[in-house]
Amino acid sequence: MILAVCAFVSLLVGMIMEGWPRGAHDGLGIVASILLVVLVTATSDYKQSLQFKDLDREKKKITVQVTRNGLRQKISIYDLLPGDIVHLAIGDQVPADGLFVSGFSVLINESSLTGESEPVNVHSGNPFLLSGTKVQDGSCKMLVTTVGMRTQWGKLMATLCEGGDDETPLQVKLNGVATIIGKIGLFFAVVTFSVMMQGLISHKLQEGSHWIWSGDDAMEILESFAIAVTIVVVAVPEGLPLAVTLSLAFAMKKMMKDKALVRNLAACETMGSATCICSDKTGTLTTNHMTVVKACICGKIKEVGRSKETLSFGSEIPGSALSILLQSIFNNTGGEIVKNENEKIEILGTPTDTALLEFGLLLGGDFQSERHALNIVKVEPFNSVKKRMGVVLELPNGGFRVHCKGASEIILAACDKVIDSNGEVVPLNEASINHLMDTIERFASEALRTLCLAYMEIGSEYSVESPIPIKGYTCIGIVGIKDPVRPGVRESVAICRSAGITVRMVTGDNINTAKAIARECGILTSEGIAIEGPEFREKNEEELHEIIPKLQVMARSSPLDKHTLVKYLRTTLEEVVAVTGDGTNDAPALHEADIGLAMGIAGTEVAKESADVIILDDNFSTIVTVAKWGRSVYINIQKFVQFQLTVNVVALIVNFSSACLTGNTPLTAVQLLWVNMIMDTLGALALATEPPNDDLMKRAPVGRRGNFISNVMWRNILGQSLYQFVIIWFLQTRGKAAFNLDGPYSDLVLNTIIFNSFVFCQVFNEISSREMEKVNVFKGIMENYVFVAVLTCTVFFQIIIIEFLGAFANTTPLSLWQWFISVFLGFLGMPIAAALKMIPVGSN
């Protein structure tokens, strides 16, 4: 806005003083700079929204099967209407709110809406189906009652639109920097104008003509005003917004390749200031794919995480025991193995069922042949009260066999026999009971869910009406099921720790599993605290203040607990918090956090809508990459500010001191605008596009309270400014003698040399600014094509301005010797910058 006013005044003054077109150069230059900044920002935002639209389009290609007008057909979820009958099966997402019409053993997972992991049984007594929930078991027909924003899901989405947008930490700091610099510039401009006016008035008073004002006096006043306006123009760092936008847009494009989609540009740099990451467990730190990792069959305990291990384990088990085990796995299950339309094998069912079925396939079993071999006459589905599931099979010789599976302690208590290492059925003695109980304990301590499989032969007198027996079973074996930690998570957590970022796990799982997985990931340390949600809720302010800094694991947490934790970390402890989540229940916390990270694969629509960044591969390691890019953005902008402030300080002091002492300025408005605009814009391009390096993750985060302009930057700015000021002042006072200049054009030549030296000081200072603390500034310079291109363009245009654009820029062509001296004076800035980096200063 200051620039727009300056442009107007500059045009006005220029036109009055020099007429069209020469007088309009300055004003038009400023207008062009404003347009450039606005265009780059707008283009970047537009491209970003296009990217997101493409992603949205891909995500939403979902069709459902409905009966409409008496015909069963496939339609898009967007074409659903109240009154349609939707056919739902295992694995489907409920597309609208509706009522259960008919179906079998329908279990609905409502965790994405309520956060409750226990599935809900839907039947004619409890007929309500809510959109956004998933069918975990069974199949049914549903009558659609409400669609769109009127559904429970839609209402939840609507509440997310109510939050306001805060400025990011960097924007706040930059606004402060820009305002201060602007005010300093304004102060200098007012003082300069006052000094020049005072000179004019005192001169008039001496002549006694202070009552008579001529047109020449008016022109002099306008000239003074033009110089004052130029000083303001130089002082206002209009390149800052451009540098920020360019740097963020560049980072965003590169992050897309690294599997992170940035929805909110500012989130890039906020992530760089993050001091704490609150991560979900399931799906983020773990794979969200239950697998059998250990098994104890026929008394042998074996790790069976990989297919080769499982196959070799299968060959070690006696044939009779293996056939009974496969029969149990494939018949006593609520899951199913099917081929989808791409002819790929797909396992449907609850995570536990799918883990067991996968284990059966790896052992070399065949689901269809096992199912067809025997007839299932009775099924008792799993329920949380009995904690077991049973089926009765009719054998070809006329007898019946019962298979049972469930919580290890309960099933083991119902057993009186076991299959030994030779495949023989032997009675359970104390030693084998102790061995099995120890195995269960050992599995549990490794964060495994244990299941015991058992069977029992019953005579042909069994009737289907009678319940399945509860005692007298033969134990087949025990399996340990785990949601394995993602590869690379432990290393990523270690990187976060070395970068000063605290990682906290917030999960709905039980505390033992959470602690075991947190230890495996390296999140839970010896001095850390693990707490359960219900306990956390009851703590008062003082206790929270004591616990939260040490809190590393929160288990059995509700969405509100997560929200409370994030809010407390942000407001009371003033941390910059990143939160990851995939369920709808995570949305409030994602919204509250400084930066919300949603999972692209497992994440629900609501979670994605309230997040700033979408992690497309659901991997915690990608979050660390986002943090690295964020830090890169922050440091790049710091480098640019350091470079730009040096230009501003020198130009300001030179013009101010000259105006006060000699009444005119060595750098004209157009020259200043070239330095200001081209250096701003091109400097932003060059320094804002430096890619990140691994050293970035070895320093502490900036946080909310860190100074944007650090002591290191002040040292570099002041040292470099002093050198440049001394050079220009020397040229101004002793330049004519040094270059043997005389004659009518001596002033013009000298001013051209001053301008040229000043520009080359900036060119070499730009190279020095690539590293704020390291002496070697050439490392990787050739890999950054943008930087090399910008420097080449700057030098090329400088030659053109001096040699060919004299009338426009108030310059005159220079001799080779004068060129050499100008470039050499600029180059001297580099060893001086290197020497400055040797001076130790504090890190703040």
Side-chain angles (χ1 to χ4, degrees):
M1 286 160 77
I2 295 174
L3 274 176
V5 174
C6 284
F8 177 71
V9 175
S10 188
L11 275 169
L12 204 69
V13 172
M15 302 283 273
I16 293 169
M17 285 178 62
E18 297 179 60
W20 176 265
R22 277 199 65 172
H25 289 163
D26 301 5
L28 292 177
I30 305 171
V31 171
S33 78
I34 297 170
L35 285 175
L36 195 71
V37 174
V38 173
L39 274 171
V40 171
T41 314
T43 311
S44 166
D45 283 354
Y46 177 66
K47 277 189 173 168
Q48 178 194 351
S49 69
L50 281 186
Q51 243 178 3
F52 208 73
K53 273 182 189 159
D54 290 347
L55 187 91
D56 257 9
R57 211 170 291 131
E58 283 306 306
K59 275 192 326 214
K60 290 178 175 173
K61 287 179 180 167
I62 302 170
T63 56
V64 285
Q65 294 214 0
V66 301
T67 302
R68 185 187 278 183
N69 302 334
L71 294 171
R72 186 161 174 167
Q73 51 194 293
K74 266 191 173 182
I75 64 167
S76 159
I77 55 168
Y78 290 105
D79 300 332
L80 272 184
L81 295 169
D84 283 336
I85 302 279
V86 178
H87 300 259
L88 296 172
I90 291 184
D92 286 350
Q93 189 165 352
V94 180
D97 285 0
L99 296 170
F100 172 89
V101 178
S102 64
F104 309 98
S105 55
V106 180
L107 278 181
I108 300 287
N109 180 349
E110 292 190 352
S111 62
S112 60
L113 261 184
T114 61
E116 182 52 64
S117 56
E118 205 54 47
V120 177
N121 211 329
V122 173
H123 44 76
S124 50
N126 173 30
F128 303 104
L129 289 150
L130 301 174
S131 67
T133 57
K134 289 194 173 74
V135 182
Q136 198 165 310
D137 196 8
S139 59
C140 71
K141 291 179 186 173
M142 170 187 97
L143 173 70
V144 177
T145 55
T146 46
V147 293
M149 294 305 274
R150 291 169 184 270
T151 60
Q152 290 301 311
W153 182 266
K155 285 175 188 163
L156 199 81
M157 294 285 275
T159 60
L160 297 179
C161 305
E162 291 164 10
D165 284 340
D166 294 340
E167 284 195 317
T168 69
L170 186 59
Q171 282 173 326
V172 173
K173 286 171 185 165
L174 283 183
N175 286 347
V177 171
T179 310
I180 290 166
I181 299 170
K183 283 177 181 168
I184 293 170
L186 209 58
F187 169 74
F188 273 92
V190 169
V191 172
T192 308
F193 186 64
S194 308
V195 167
M196 293 170 92
M197 286 305 294
Q198 187 256 335
L200 175 69
I201 290 168
S202 60
H203 176 68
K204 301 273 287 178
L205 281 170
Q206 276 172 355
E207 286 183 349
S209 60
H210 53 278
W211 296 116
I212 307 153
W213 292 82
S214 64
D216 287 348
D217 295 334
M219 287 304 275
E220 204 173 321
I221 293 170
L222 272 177
E223 210 161 49
S224 309
F225 191 68
I227 290 170
V229 166
T230 309
I231 287 177
V232 175
V233 171
V234 172
V236 175
E238 68 277 19
L240 271 185
L242 179 71
V244 177
T245 309
L246 273 173
S247 194
L248 292 176
F250 172 73
M252 187 182 140
K253 213 167 186 173
K254 295 286 183 191
M255 279 159 79
M256 190 71 184
K257 287 180 187 162
D258 289 340
K259 298 279 180 248
L261 176 94
V262 181
R263 291 192 59 201
N264 173 3
L265 253 192
C268 278
E269 85 15 55
T270 315
M271 195 66 198
S273 318
T275 54
C276 164
I277 298 173
C278 293
S279 175
D280 233 9
K281 177 182 77 71
T282 314
T284 311
L285 297 167
T286 63
T287 56
N288 197 17
H289 181 81
M290 291 273 196
T291 41
V292 175
V293 288
K294 280 195 173 177
C296 171
I297 314 281
C298 301
K300 291 177 190 155
I301 299 174
K302 192 81 189 271
E303 290 205 11
V304 289
R306 295 183 193 88
S307 50
K308 280 182 189 169
E309 291 169 351
T310 315
L311 272 170
S312 70
F313 184 44
S315 60
E316 289 168 26
I317 303 170
S320 58
L322 183 62
S323 69
I324 260 299
L325 173 64
L326 291 175
Q327 195 179 76
S328 171
I329 288 173
F330 289 135
N331 287 295
N332 188 16
T333 178
E336 210 172 326
I337 297 176
V338 296
K339 277 191 177 173
N340 61 18
E341 59 262 28
N342 305 330
E343 290 297 306
K344 279 189 182 165
I345 286 177
E346 207 173 333
I347 305 174
L348 300 172
T350 62
T352 313
D353 276 333
T354 54
L356 273 173
L357 289 171
E358 202 171 349
F359 179 53
L361 288 177
L362 289 174
L363 283 169
D366 182 343
F367 179 79
Q368 299 301 339
S369 62
E370 284 286 351
R371 272 295 175 92
H372 292 137
L374 299 170
N375 187 23
I376 299 175
V377 291
K378 185 177 174 84
V379 179
E380 265 189 13
F382 181 87
N383 73 30
S384 50
V385 181
K386 290 184 187 167
K387 292 203 185 313
R388 62 178 198 172
M389 173 182 183
V391 294
V392 181
L393 304 176
E394 191 176 359
L395 299 174
N397 58 14
F400 292 94
R401 184 177 290 157
V402 182
H403 280 286
C404 193
K405 72 170 181 198
S408 303
E409 299 84 353
I410 293 168
I411 303 294
L412 197 55
C415 293
D416 54 15
K417 292 187 278 300
V418 67
I419 300 177
D420 71 0
S421 54
N422 303 318
E424 307 284 322
V425 175
V426 294
L428 262 178
N429 56 23
E430 199 164 323
S432 45
I433 286 179
N434 286 343
H435 171 68
L436 289 168
M437 288 306 283
D438 286 349
T439 304
I440 293 167
E441 287 284 306
R442 208 163 93 208
F443 283 10
S445 69
E446 291 172 27
L448 305 183
R449 274 179 72 182
T450 58
L451 278 184
C452 184
L453 307 175
Y455 81 102
M456 175 182 181
E457 305 284 357
I458 44 181
S460 48
E461 66 278 358
Y462 175 78
S463 80
V464 180
E465 279 74 40
S466 51
I468 290 178
I470 52 168
K471 272 196 172 14
Y473 285 93
T474 303
C475 176
I476 304 169
I478 292 161
V479 292
I481 297 175
K482 186 182 187 181
D483 188 0
V485 170
R486 278 181 179 278
V489 165
R490 194 181 175 85
E491 293 81 352
S492 300
V493 171
I495 291 170
C496 285
R497 187 156 279 139
S498 69
I501 302 170
T502 315
V503 182
R504 292 178 168 88
M505 180 202 281
V506 185
T507 175
D509 222 325
N510 77 51
I511 195 150
N512 289 333
T513 311
K515 276 160 88 172
I517 285 186
R519 279 197 197 96
E520 198 178 329
C521 297
I523 291 173
L524 187 59
T525 56
S526 51
E527 62 271 11
I529 295 176
I531 195 170
E532 288 194 322
E535 194 187 334
F536 175 78
R537 262 165 259 164
E538 285 162 18
K539 301 285 180 197
N540 59 31
E541 258 325 283
E542 280 172 33
E543 290 171 313
L544 283 179
H545 201 69
E546 206 175 300
I547 286 172
I548 286 182
K550 296 181 200 161
L551 182 72
Q552 289 174 339
V553 176
M554 197 203 287
R556 289 271 175 251
S557 70
S558 71
L560 223 64
D561 295 333
K562 199 170 185 178
H563 187 265
T564 309
L565 173 67
V566 172
K567 200 166 186 176
Y568 193 90
L569 284 167
R570 277 193 69 201
T571 52
T572 314
L573 300 181
E574 290 200 1
E575 298 218 27
V576 179
V577 186
V579 172
T580 75
D582 51 12
T584 305
N585 51 319
D586 295 322
L590 288 172
H591 210 55
E592 174 64 35
D594 292 288
I595 174 161
L597 304 150
M599 299 298 131
I601 302 166
T604 59
E605 292 300 312
V606 172
K608 288 178 193 171
E609 288 296 327
S610 42
D612 303 301
V613 177
I614 295 175
I615 306 296
L616 297 174
D617 59 355
D618 287 18
N619 197 338
F620 187 79
S621 310
T622 308
I623 296 168
V624 178
T625 311
V626 174
K628 192 154 88 176
W629 270 107
R631 288 185 173 200
S632 165
V633 167
Y634 195 88
I635 291 216
N636 285 350
I637 293 169
Q638 275 189 319
K639 288 176 193 171
F640 172 70
V641 168
Q642 174 189 303
F643 167 68
Q644 198 191 26
L645 283 187
T646 310
V647 184
N648 284 359
V649 167
V650 179
L652 245 167
I653 294 174
V654 166
N655 267 14
F656 172 69
S657 54
S658 300
C660 293
L661 298 172
T662 63
N664 63 5
T665 52
L667 299 170
T668 66
V670 170
Q671 289 171 357
L672 276 174
L673 273 170
W674 157 243
V675 170
N676 198 38
M677 278 325 304
I678 306 299
M679 289 293 174
D680 265 11
T681 312
L682 292 182
L685 253 176
L687 292 168
T689 53
E690 284 276 328
N693 56 31
D694 290 335
D695 293 347
L696 290 175
M697 295 307 275
K698 288 177 187 153
R699 55 176 78 190
V702 182
R704 223 178 267 283
R705 280 179 295 210
N707 292 328
F708 179 70
I709 301 183
S710 61
N711 292 350
V712 171
M713 289 167 72
W714 278 124
R715 175 195 69 193
N716 297 347
I717 290 168
L718 296 174
Q720 192 68 30
S721 302
L722 186 66
Y723 164 71
Q724 292 186 14
F725 181 62
V726 167
I727 289 290
I728 290 173
W729 196 243
F730 169 78
L731 286 174
Q732 240 187 318
T733 51
R734 304 271 184 278
K736 284 188 182 178
F739 285 100
N740 298 322
L741 299 175
D742 50 17
Y745 291 109
S746 60
D747 280 341
L748 182 61
V749 175
L750 182 65
N751 279 351
T752 305
I753 293 171
I754 290 173
F755 168 55
N756 205 25
S757 306
F758 183 53
V759 168
F760 277 99
C761 277
Q762 307 325 322
V763 169
F764 289 105
N765 184 28
E766 198 165 338
I767 300 172
S768 299
S769 295
R770 286 190 73 233
E771 286 288 352
M772 289 195 281
E773 295 177 64
K774 290 184 187 157
V775 174
N776 180 6
V777 291
F778 292 104
K779 187 182 172 188
I781 193 166
M782 296 316 280
E783 285 153 34
N784 188 349
Y785 306 121
V786 180
F787 192 88
V788 176
V790 165
L791 278 191
T792 314
C793 287
T794 310
V795 173
F796 176 71
F797 279 119
Q798 180 63 15
I799 294 169
I800 286 180
I801 284 176
I802 297 234
E803 297 295 321
F804 305 108
L805 293 178
F808 177 77
N810 296 28
T811 58
T812 185
L814 298 177
S815 68
L816 274 176
W817 172 243
Q818 290 164 342
W819 267 103
F820 174 75
I821 294 291
S822 304
V823 175
F824 180 72
L825 288 173
F827 173 75
L828 267 183
M830 285 190 76
I832 283 171
L836 283 170
K837 288 171 187 174
M838 304 295 185
I839 304 169
V841 288
S843 57
N844 288 332

